[in-house]
């Protein structure tokens, strides 16, 4: 995975950089990181290494001194470098630090089924907690609507920088958040009132979406006159020619059925996990099982169904539907070869946001190897989210997202001393 | 009973609390729980807390007490002692949590914001798995408290985790008693937003302080009447459990454990504690770092919480890892607490470690897990350090308590093993799994799940 930079291309780039306007130049000032240990994840761990970041991308990774450093490069030194951390499931930015109505946009309770709600319309990129987790090395988050309604809305993937959601955005509408739990059962009008009803409502809606997408496909197959073409014969348009009324709810679910968006189902109890698998199999859609406290009791079933697990934070509270959770679940999933990543999750009270670094650390202290723990918050979530070409490891061509520490990143007393996102140093305070 | 009531009246507090019998049997003194045999641990790294770390240390216990602690050279192992080689292991005092909600929330109900007469003791479930999880974290003593949803939510109880083999059958077996057999505990108070609400709860901070002052003034007047009666029962005012308890607090016989977050609320606690003379420990103290000098000047200790991120409510938005460091450096005594369910007792050492991450002195941080907490409960002479004469409460660790990779291997309470990671049942509580948690969601004061609107 190490890349031997050709001197010629290097010089060319260097020259170009020098001649570019200074504003552009400062925004993309090369950054070089020297560290005693570089955990690349996809390649070998490099001792006494360097990483060269140019134009927002990783341009070279190797031994210290192996590559020439541009004169204008910003130099950072650290003990251990990890790829920028990826939180596979959080609500940060929709859910704010104050936990008041005005900064809590993670859950809309007016209706149990609202897949049409977009995360981009609810995300506050200037939320303090986004900066808070960034300062510990979290550079990419899959954030969005929270558990708590049968379908609470959409999720998206953003970098933890940017003054607007657009400038932070990597992938819009990545998944639809479904919750199978008591949390999403309601009595009275705000149905569902039972687990049986939850499944019936979900199945009905997915069937409706299947029919809707079939209609849309049929419609598209019928050749329609171009809008600019005059209707020479002056005939009334037949009903079949009328454009179909858009249904945002079903449109979104059609994208789930076609695999364009993922189905993220929050389920903790074994019985709910089984229901989630049943649903995914009926509609032939890949399942992202979220939270999954009882996953350690369902290893064979998860394995057989090819389920991907977005595992609850290690330090989640072992109560209610999470009563059976175990510090060892991560290591058991790893052992079984089930794809998983450790999440920061959604916290309705405190800590208002969880730092995946800390959650993986606890897993690392309970059976998960150091390498596997690093992977569970870097490459694994990147692969699950489908963004592994850009983030999740330290490799040439990937986004220059780096987390720098002054010791073993998982040790409680180690500090995060620097964070780089898209080749820009976004934090250099010791945290 | 009348005799007992009069006797306790004579010493001026909580008449009738010292029940001589329980369940038809005399109350067991704390010493009855102790392990009588002689044991010695050798070759361990010892963290005595009240003296510097000892390498190749020796710890000797007998009769539930520590009878020797020091280096191999200093300590002569008594003949007949069962010797355990603890090479490579660390031994520290049993951890003291000054603020826990394990065992079921209870005490005050929603009828009134001030209910000092209500005891958490009467709602504790001794079979709660939380106590076993706490042992798995090396904890041996807990101050179990009512919640913070009241100005005064009731009497707390100091528990010793005497889970030797099987669970104790009744809560009384885990109480800490004084030499008269009276169970020990503090008084929980709170200010700021948690204890505000619809009437009869206060709606503002001004009203909160007023309601508290009003009650303490009543208690003062009540006590004056009791004193004036001069032991003549016919002249005594009718007993008032609420006011009796506040009198105890003002007499320094019951420590006030005061929930408080925002800097101005902290100052209010100082003001009230000075007006009425109650001995106070400040709890949580999120904004403590902003008023560290004032806290130091008032000579109030702080039992702080460490959370992975700030916020969750406005008054905790500046709760930062540096709190312990700043308070300590200002001269404030600092202990940590779990606030379990808020943080997990199994990871209590992590709180101290994160404070060290933010610059707190290492020895002070370890003191904050043990002796500082013991002193804040008024138990500093019995627990909190590896000191000759103190209870043989300690945790045996695989390494440095501030490392994420360190595991609690064993926890000993009064000379008896109460947790052993090598036993599958105990491992369950340490790692989690079926029956290690709670099937009920804990009642966490003052927030509702997101689908019910979130924090109040």
């Amino acid at each position: 995975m190490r890349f031997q930079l050709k001197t010629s291309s290097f010089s060319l780039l260097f020259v170009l950089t020098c001649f570019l306007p200074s504003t552009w130049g400062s925004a993309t000032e090369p950054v070089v990181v020297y560290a005693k240990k570089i955990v690349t994840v996809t390649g070998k761990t490099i001792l006494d290494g360097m990483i060269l970041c140019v134009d927002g991308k990783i341009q070279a990774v190797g031994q210290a001194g192996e590559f020439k450093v541009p004169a204008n490069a910003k130099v950072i030194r650290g003990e251990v470098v990890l790829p920028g951390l990826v939180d596979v499931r959080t609500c940060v930015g929709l859910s704010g630090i104050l936990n008041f109505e005005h900064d809590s946009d993670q859950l809309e309770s007016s209706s149990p089924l609202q897949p049409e709600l977009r995360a981009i319309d609810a995300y506050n990129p200037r939320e303090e907690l986004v900066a808070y987790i960034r300062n510990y090395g979290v550079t990419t988050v899959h954030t969005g609507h929270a558990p708590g309604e049968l379908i609470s809305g959409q999720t998206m993937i953003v970098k933890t920088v940017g003054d607007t959601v657009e400038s932070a955005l990597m992938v819009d509408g990545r998944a639809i958040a479904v919750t199978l739990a008591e949390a999403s059962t309601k009595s009275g009008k705000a149905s569902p009132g039972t687990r049986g009803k939850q499944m019936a409502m979900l199945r009905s809606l997915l069937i409706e979406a299947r029919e809707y997408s079939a209609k849309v496909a049929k419609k598209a197959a019928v050749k329609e006159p171009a809008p600019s073409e005059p209707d020479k014969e002056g005939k009334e348009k037949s009903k079949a020619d009328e454009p179909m009324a858009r249904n945002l709810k079903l449109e979104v679910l059609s994208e789930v059925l076609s695999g364009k968006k993922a189905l993220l189902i929050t389920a903790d109890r074994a019985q709910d996990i089984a229901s989630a698998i049943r649903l995914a199999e009926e509609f032939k859609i890949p399942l992202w099982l979220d939270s999954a406290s009882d996953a350690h009791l369902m290893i064979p079933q998860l394995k057989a169904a090819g389920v991907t697990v977005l595992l609850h934070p290690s330090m989640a509270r072992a109560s209610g539907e999470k009563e059976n959770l175990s510090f060892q679940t991560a290591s058991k999933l790893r052992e079984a070869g089930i794809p998983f990543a450790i999440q920061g999750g959604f916290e309705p009270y405190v800590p208002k946001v969880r730092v995946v670094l800390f959650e993986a650390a606890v897993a690392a202290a309970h059976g998960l190897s150091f390498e596997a723990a690093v992977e569970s918050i870097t490459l694994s979530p990147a692969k699950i989210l489908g963004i592994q070409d850009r983030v999740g490891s330290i490799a040439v061509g990937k986004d220059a997202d780096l987390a720098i520490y002054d010791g073993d990143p998982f040790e409680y007393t180690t500090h995060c001393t620097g964070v780089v996102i898209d080749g820009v140093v976004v934090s250099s305070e010791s945290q | 009973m009348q005799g007992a009531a009069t006797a306790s009246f004579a010493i001026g507090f909580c008449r009738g609390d010292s029940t001589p019998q329980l369940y038809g049997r005399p109350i067991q003194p704390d010493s009855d729980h102790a392990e009588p045999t002689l044991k010695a641990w050798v070759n361990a790294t010892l963290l005595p807390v009240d003296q510097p770390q000892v390498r190749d240390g020796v710890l000797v216990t007998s009769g539930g007490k520590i009878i020797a602690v020091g280096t191999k050279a200093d300590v002569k192992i008594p003949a007949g002692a069962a010797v355990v080689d603890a090479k490579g292991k660390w031994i520290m005092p049993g951890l003291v949590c000054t603020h826990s909600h394990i065992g079921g929330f209870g005490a005050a109900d929603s009828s009134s914001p001030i209910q000092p007469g209500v005891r958490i003791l009467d709602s504790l479930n001794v079979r709660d798995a939380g106590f076993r999880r706490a042992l798995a974290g090396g904890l041996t003593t807990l101050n179990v408290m009512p919640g913070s949803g009241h100005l005064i939510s009731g009497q707390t109880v100091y528990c010793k985790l005497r889970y030797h083999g099987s669970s104790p059958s009744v809560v009384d077996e885990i109480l800490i008693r004084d030499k008269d057999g009276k169970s020990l505990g503090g008084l929980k108070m709170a200010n700021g937003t948690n204890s505000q609400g619809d009437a009869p709860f206060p709606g503002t901070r001004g009203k909160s302080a007023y309601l508290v002052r009003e009650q303490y003034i009543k208690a003062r007047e009540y006590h004056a009447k009791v004193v004036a009666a001069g032991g003549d029962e016919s002249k005594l005012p009718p007993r008032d459990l609420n006011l009796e308890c506040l009198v105890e607090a003002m007499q320094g016989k019951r420590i006030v454990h005061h929930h408080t977050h925002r800097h101005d609320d902290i100052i209010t606690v100082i003001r009230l504690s000075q007006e009425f003379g109650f001995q106070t420990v400040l709890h949580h103290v999120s904004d403590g770092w902003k008023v560290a000098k004032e806290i130091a000047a008032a000579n109030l200790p702080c039992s702080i919480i460490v959370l992975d991120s700030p916020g969750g409510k406005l008054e905790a938005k500046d709760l930062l890892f540096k709190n312990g460091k700043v308070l300590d450096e200002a001269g404030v005594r600092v202990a940590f607490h779990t606030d379990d369910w808020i943080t997990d007792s199994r990871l209590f050492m992590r709180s101290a470690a994160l404070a060290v991450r933010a610059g707190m002195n290492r020895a002070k941080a370890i003191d904050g897990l043990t002796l500082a907490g013991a002193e804040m409960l008024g138990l500093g002479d019995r627990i909190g350090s590896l000191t000759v004469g103190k209870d043989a409460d300690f945790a045996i660790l695989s390494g440095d308590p501030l490392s994420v990779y360190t595991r609690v291997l064993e926890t000993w309470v009064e000379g008896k093993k109460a947790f052993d990671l090598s036993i599958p049942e105990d491992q369950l509580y340490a790692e989690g799994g079926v029956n290690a948690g709670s099937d009920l969601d804990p009642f966490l004061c003052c927030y509702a799940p997101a689908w019910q609107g979130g924090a109040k």
Side-chain angles (χ1 to χ4, degrees):
Chain A
M1 206 46 61
R2 275 158 64 190
F3 176 72
Q4 199 69 41
L5 197 68
K6 282 179 195 158
T7 319
S8 58
S9 67
F10 173 75
S11 308
L12 180 65
L13 196 117
F14 184 39
V15 169
L16 275 175
T17 309
C18 294
F19 282 98
L20 282 163
S22 62
T23 47
W24 190 89
S26 67
T28 59
E29 175 188 54
V31 170
V32 61
V33 180
Y34 292 99
K36 291 196 178 146
K37 186 175 173 184
I38 298 171
V39 184
T40 65
V41 181
T42 41
K44 276 186 184 165
T45 291
I46 301 165
L47 299 180
D48 267 323
M50 69 184 288
I51 305 162
L52 182 60
C53 312
V54 176
D55 203 13
K57 300 283 176 186
I58 294 171
Q59 199 178 72
V61 188
Q63 295 300 135
E66 198 173 334
F67 313 110
K68 271 192 191 167
V69 175
N72 63 334
K74 187 177 172 67
V75 176
I76 302 176
R77 290 175 200 280
E79 292 286 318
V80 180
V81 183
L82 302 184
L85 310 181
V86 182
D87 188 337
V88 78
R89 166 66 161 150
T90 174
C91 299
V92 73
L94 287 82
S95 159
I97 185 168
L98 297 179
N99 215 12
F100 289 165
E101 227 168 84
H102 65 254
D103 74 346
S104 299
D105 288 295
Q106 72 279 0
L107 196 67
E108 162 66 44
S109 293
S110 57
S111 155
L113 297 167
Q114 303 193 67
E116 63 275 26
L117 305 185
R118 301 186 303 187
I120 52 164
D121 299 319
Y123 180 73
N124 173 12
R126 297 167 198 240
E127 164 58 44
E128 279 179 59
L129 294 177
V130 173
Y132 184 82
I133 58 171
R134 178 177 71 220
N135 290 343
Y136 289 99
V138 179
T139 55
T140 302
V141 292
H142 174 230
T143 188
H145 288 90
E149 290 293 343
L150 191 51
I151 300 182
S152 65
Q154 301 174 24
T155 65
M156 63 173 181
I157 305 170
V158 285
K159 293 277 179 85
T160 53
V161 283
D163 290 339
T164 61
V165 67
E166 284 76 11
S167 61
L169 195 64
M170 286 183 79
V171 182
D172 183 19
R174 185 61 191 90
I176 304 301
V178 173
T179 309
L180 294 180
E182 272 164 36
S184 54
T185 59
K186 308 277 189 296
S187 56
K189 277 185 186 172
S191 185
T194 62
R195 289 184 147 83
K197 184 66 179 285
Q198 283 184 3
M199 296 307 294
M201 288 172 72
L202 281 175
R203 294 180 60 232
S204 300
L205 196 64
L206 284 167
I207 287 165
E208 214 181 311
R210 192 154 62 191
E211 290 165 358
Y212 176 82
S213 57
K215 270 186 210 160
V216 171
K218 202 174 163 192
K219 197 90 186 166
V222 177
K223 201 191 167 193
E224 286 185 55
S228 57
E229 226 172 87
D231 189 353
K232 287 174 191 168
E233 307 207 1
K235 274 186 192 169
E236 267 189 38
K237 278 186 181 175
S238 72
K239 256 201 164 176
D241 292 336
E242 273 176 31
M244 218 175 112
R246 282 179 68 183
N247 181 324
L248 292 183
K249 206 186 282 289
L250 298 179
E251 224 172 65
V252 170
L253 288 175
S254 302
E255 291 180 336
V256 170
L257 291 169
S258 69
K260 197 178 164 200
K261 286 182 168 53
L263 189 69
L264 180 156
I265 302 186
T266 306
D268 281 301
R269 282 169 54 157
Q271 96 184 76
D272 292 327
I273 292 175
S275 296
I277 295 173
R278 202 178 303 121
L279 186 78
E281 288 185 343
E282 178 179 351
F283 292 93
K284 299 185 174 54
I285 38 185
L287 172 62
W288 289 0
L289 186 65
D290 176 54
S291 195
S293 299
D294 280 358
H296 60 94
L297 305 174
M298 301 282 285
I299 298 279
Q301 291 88 346
L302 294 173
K303 178 101 177 145
V307 173
T308 292
V309 179
L310 318 187
L311 187 62
H312 59 77
S314 307
M315 293 183 278
R317 298 185 178 99
S319 64
E321 295 187 352
K322 291 188 169 68
E323 63 177 314
N324 298 328
L325 61 74
S326 163
F327 289 144
Q328 292 183 338
T329 304
S331 75
K332 285 180 179 164
L333 291 173
R334 173 86 184 185
E335 208 175 301
I338 294 169
F340 78 98
I342 296 175
Q343 63 171 264
F346 169 65
E347 192 58 53
Y349 192 34
V350 291
K352 198 67 199 78
V353 71
R354 290 181 184 270
V355 183
V356 277
L357 173 71
F358 300 159
E359 304 301 331
V362 170
H366 291 265
L368 198 62
S369 70
F370 175 85
E371 291 74 20
V374 170
E375 208 177 310
S376 76
I377 51 171
T378 54
L379 188 62
S380 300
K383 279 184 176 169
I384 291 169
L385 299 170
I387 50 174
Q388 74 272 29
D389 291 346
R390 287 188 58 187
V391 302
S393 70
I394 299 174
V396 171
K398 282 201 178 184
D399 293 0
D401 294 355
L402 304 169
I404 303 148
Y405 302 90
D406 62 2
D408 175 350
F410 293 138
E411 273 294 8
Y412 296 142
T413 49
T414 293
H415 307 93
C416 180
T417 54
V419 182
V420 177
I421 298 182
D422 293 328
V424 177
V425 180
V426 292
S427 167
S428 50
E429 263 182 57
S430 179
Q431 301 281 349
Chain B
M1 279 310 294
Q2 189 56 51
T6 312
S8 65
F9 157 64
I11 54 168
F13 67 97
C14 278
R15 297 166 294 183
D17 257 15
S18 324
T19 317
Q21 288 212 329
L22 203 60
Y23 316 116
R25 296 193 302 268
I27 287 180
Q28 244 183 322
D30 284 0
S31 56
D32 271 20
H33 299 285
E35 168 64 40
T37 59
L38 199 55
K39 283 196 168 68
W41 284 262
V42 298
N43 301 323
T45 299
L46 299 180
L47 284 172
V49 177
D50 61 348
Q51 50 173 309
Q53 187 171 321
V54 181
R55 296 183 75 179
D56 291 327
V58 178
L59 175 72
V60 188
T61 71
S62 177
K65 300 281 177 189
I66 293 166
I67 61 163
V69 57
T71 62
K72 216 182 230 175
D74 294 341
V75 178
K76 191 172 177 277
I77 296 166
V83 178
V84 181
D85 186 358
K87 194 170 173 57
K89 294 170 187 168
W90 292 47
I91 301 180
M92 69 182 294
L95 274 53
V96 179
C97 180
T98 47
H99 190 135
S100 180
H101 299 297
I102 289 173
F105 253 90
D109 64 6
S110 59
S111 61
S112 149
I114 296 184
Q115 304 185 41
V118 179
R119 305 182 299 194
I120 189 87
L121 167 69
D122 298 312
S123 71
L124 276 196
N125 174 14
V126 76
R127 290 171 174 78
D128 190 297
F131 291 113
R132 308 297 291 268
R133 291 195 304 271
L135 277 166
L139 281 71
T140 54
T141 300
L142 309 178
N143 175 26
V144 182
M145 305 246 265
S148 52
H150 301 74
L151 297 168
I152 305 181
S153 55
Q155 297 168 28
T156 81
V157 66
Y158 302 159
C159 299
K160 189 66 90 73
L161 301 182
R162 300 184 184 104
Y163 287 73
H164 306 120
S166 59
S167 289
S169 338
V170 290
V171 69
D172 309 82
E173 292 172 49
I174 62 168
L175 302 179
I176 298 179
R177 297 176 185 280
D178 66 13
K179 54 184 185 301
D180 300 323
K182 182 176 180 289
S183 75
L184 298 174
L187 177 65
K188 176 75 183 284
M189 291 179 63
N191 68 359
T193 50
N194 280 19
S195 43
Q196 292 179 29
D198 297 334
F201 284 74
T204 62
R205 290 177 155 85
K207 183 68 178 283
S208 299
Y210 157 75
L211 289 174
V212 167
R213 294 185 65 235
E214 185 187 39
Q215 284 306 305
Y216 274 97
I217 287 165
K218 268 189 196 164
R220 227 180 224 169
E221 292 167 357
Y222 173 80
H223 182 60
K225 283 181 197 163
V226 171
V227 172
D232 182 346
E233 276 186 50
S234 67
K235 291 180 184 164
L236 281 173
R239 278 192 69 184
D240 186 318
L241 293 180
N242 290 321
L243 297 180
E244 263 178 20
C245 185
L246 298 184
V247 170
E248 278 190 338
M250 287 189 287
Q251 290 177 330
K253 289 167 183 155
R254 185 175 285 282
I255 295 167
V256 169
H257 295 286
H258 209 303
H259 160 113
T260 185
H261 285 285
R262 218 170 72 176
H263 57 92
D264 50 335
D265 290 327
I266 296 169
I267 299 300
T268 298
V269 178
I270 293 174
R271 193 182 309 119
L272 294 180
S273 70
Q274 288 174 347
E275 179 178 357
F276 297 103
F278 48 77
Q279 194 184 333
T280 308
V281 177
L282 300 172
H283 283 252
H284 308 322
V285 216
S286 302
D287 271 357
W289 59 273
K290 298 178 186 170
V291 285
K293 272 187 204 163
E294 288 78 5
I295 296 170
N299 200 23
L300 294 189
C302 288
S303 169
I304 66 170
I305 189 164
V306 178
L307 294 175
D308 283 16
S309 60
K313 52 185 171 184
L314 179 68
E315 56 182 25
K317 79 175 176 53
D318 294 329
L319 196 167
L320 302 171
F321 290 171
K322 70 173 180 181
N323 204 17
K325 169 195 160 76
V326 177
L327 286 167
D328 174 55
E329 289 176 359
V332 177
R333 193 73 190 275
V334 176
F336 299 96
H337 64 245
T338 61
D339 205 1
D340 200 337
W341 287 94
I342 297 294
T343 71
D344 192 326
S345 293
R346 292 175 293 190
L347 300 168
F348 188 27
M349 293 175 200
R350 183 173 181 270
S351 297
L354 292 175
V356 170
R357 180 189 194 119
M360 189 177 184
N361 172 280
R362 188 189 148 87
K364 291 290 190 65
I366 288 169
D367 175 66
L369 293 171
T370 52
L371 189 56
E375 288 179 5
M376 288 179 205
L377 303 183
L379 299 172
D381 57 336
R382 292 175 61 171
I383 57 167
S385 60
L386 301 180
T387 307
V388 172
K390 283 196 179 181
D391 291 355
D393 296 351
F394 55 92
I396 303 178
L397 316 177
S398 63
D400 181 347
L402 302 188
S403 168
V404 67
Y405 301 110
T406 293
R407 305 301 305 274
V408 176
L409 303 174
E410 295 173 13
T411 307
W412 292 68
V413 178
E414 293 165 358
K416 286 185 191 169
K417 191 155 64 181
F419 167 80
D420 185 338
L421 187 62
S422 69
I423 296 170
E425 192 202 348
D426 285 358
Q427 197 194 0
L428 170 71
Y429 294 115
E431 299 288 347
V434 178
N435 293 329
S438 166
D439 58 352
L440 292 174
D441 272 318
F443 170 76
L444 302 174
C445 169
C446 312
Y447 96 100
W451 52 92
Q452 291 168 20
K456 279 198 263 177

